[in-house]
């Protein structure tokens, strides 16, 4: 990685699987816009948004699998 790459933000979104590509694209766009606004010197092409999807049965809330909520 070069110095410029090291200062550019990489944003990870970890969420339950099943959201549409349209929702994912919209969120990536908004996160990119926010990073450009907040992080000095950031340009849109320097922002990386990485989505990690998890099966609902692998996510727990209050000890109960999301798939059962």
């Amino acid at each position: 990685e070069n110095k410029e790459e090291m200062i550019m933000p990489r944003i990870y979104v970890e969420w339950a699987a099943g959201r549409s590509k349209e929702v994912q694209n919209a969120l990536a766009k908004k996160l990119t816009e926010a990073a450009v606004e907040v992080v000095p010197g950031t340009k849109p092409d320097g922002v990386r948004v990485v989505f990690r999807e998890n099966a609902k049965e692998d996510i727990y809330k209050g000890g109960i699998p999301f798939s059962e909520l």
Side-chain angles (χ1 to χ4, degrees), residues 1-62:
E1 285 184 271
N2 63 32
K3 187 176 181 181
E4 184 176 308
E5 182 70 24
M6 289 176 19
I7 63 169
M8 294 303 151
R10 182 171 293 161
I11 302 166
Y12 292 93
V13 177
E14 191 164 339
W15 58 3
R19 296 203 172 71
S20 71
K21 199 61 160 171
E22 290 79 17
V23 168
Q24 185 171 310
N25 291 344
L27 182 56
K29 182 178 179 183
K30 291 289 188 181
L31 290 171
T32 298
E33 291 170 356
V36 168
E37 181 182 325
V38 173
V39 182
T42 299
K43 294 184 168 112
D45 64 349
V47 179
R48 306 291 184 261
V49 180
V50 180
F51 290 91
R52 295 178 175 167
E53 292 190 340
N54 297 294
K56 289 182 179 179
E57 56 270 4
D58 294 334
I59 303 170
Y60 290 75
K61 179 179 178 184

